[in-house]
Amino acid sequence: LEFRRVLFRSTVKNSSTSAVPLTITFSGPFGQSTTTTATSCVASVAPSSSCTVTVAYTPTLAGLQTGTLSVYGGVGNTLSSTLSGTGVAPVSITPATRAFGSVIEGVTSAAKTFTVKNSTAATLPVSYTSTDPEFAMTGCTSLAPNSSCTLSVTYTPTATAIGAEAATIMANYSGIGSPLSVAVSGTATSPIAVSPASIAFSTTRNVGTASAPHNVTITNNSTSAVPLGAIVAATTTPTSSAAYAISANTCTGSRSEE
């Protein structure tokens, strides 16, 4: 694939009374057009007359590009024109970002979609890759000329990745500008919630006298049972003390969805 060629013209004028030999050169992604007869500057320009150079611009990348048209018309007589153009990628993917929000570990999110557009006149094979396998993709593998398709992405966080996550989804095709990329993000949350997060007992207590019990609720927010390991009450200050103990526990084995 290549970007669409763009043609424009530049005029060379000879103000002298004799013919002037010409040598025309280009730099950058610019050149003299071979697909039109509008170029009249060949080997020389006649006295007191003008000729036209038809310049072709064939972008080699997306973005601004510059070059130079140089005309050599004899010893010490070189003129130049600055050329510029902006290449546009033949394929686009929108929007640039998608955010999945909070998703429970092990649960697959609802799909977020992107639009992949082929602006060329040729059928375009396309494939997709992700920098994080937790973000999975489903989309078309072939884009018809001047058409669009939908890329769907889901997010399934794993137990080893609790917290904020981000990845890059890339659309790969055969041509300049490949791959195109978009950003996706999400936050993996634990299926288990503990409430309250902290308990404040009476600030003073006679040594050896047990306080009234306080309840802690463990909730399973997922859609399947979650196995539970050991539940312990540990004293952090001083570490040698066993001041806290579990007096009753109905959370054993696993917790079903609620």
Side-chain angles (χ1 to χ4, degrees):
L1 295 176
E2 66 176 16
F3 292 107
R4 186 175 300 170
R5 293 169 61 88
V6 178
L7 303 179
F8 56 97
R9 294 181 174 87
S10 181
T11 300
V12 179
K13 183 177 181 180
N14 177 12
S15 300
S16 72
T17 57
S18 60
V20 175
L22 296 178
T23 301
I24 300 172
T25 60
F26 299 87
S27 67
F30 303 91
Q32 186 163 309
S33 173
T34 59
T35 59
T36 178
T37 59
T39 296
S40 58
C41 296
V42 185
S44 66
V45 58
S48 301
S49 64
S50 302
C51 65
T52 301
V53 179
T54 300
V55 182
Y57 169 45
T58 306
T60 55
L61 53 81
L64 178 65
Q65 294 184 283
T66 60
T68 302
L69 162 63
S70 297
V71 179
Y72 176 72
V75 177
N77 187 17
T78 300
L79 303 176
S80 63
S81 294
T82 300
L83 308 173
S84 65
T86 300
V88 179
V91 176
S92 63
I93 180 168
T94 55
T97 62
R98 284 289 195 192
F100 287 85
S102 296
V103 180
I104 296 172
E105 171 259 312
V107 174
T108 298
S109 71
K112 300 285 188 181
T113 60
F114 297 87
T115 299
V116 184
K117 182 178 181 180
N118 174 14
S119 298
T120 73
T123 299
L124 188 67
V126 62
S127 63
Y128 309 97
T129 54
S130 172
T131 58
D132 186 339
E134 293 174 317
F135 296 90
M137 304 146 296
T138 303
C140 60
T141 57
S142 181
L143 272 170
N146 298 302
S147 67
S148 302
C149 74
T150 297
L151 169 65
S152 297
V153 181
T154 57
Y155 172 44
T156 309
T158 64
T160 59
I162 301 301
E165 296 188 281
T168 300
I169 304 296
M170 289 167 284
N172 309 281
Y173 56 92
S174 178
I176 298 168
S178 177
L180 297 175
S181 63
V182 292
V184 290
S185 62
T187 300
T189 60
S190 172
I192 295 296
V194 177
S195 178
S198 64
I199 297 174
F201 289 86
S202 174
T203 55
T204 59
R205 195 82 198 165
N206 292 332
V207 175
T209 303
S211 70
H214 288 256
N215 292 328
V216 175
T217 301
I218 299 175
T219 303
N220 175 12
N221 293 314
S222 73
T223 57
S224 59
V226 175
L228 296 176
I231 300 175
V232 298
T235 303
T236 57
T237 306
T239 55
S240 59
S241 172
Y244 300 96
I246 296 175
S247 59
N249 179 16
T250 63
C251 298
T252 57
S254 64
R255 297 301 297 164
S256 300
E257 58 180 295
E258 296 188 6

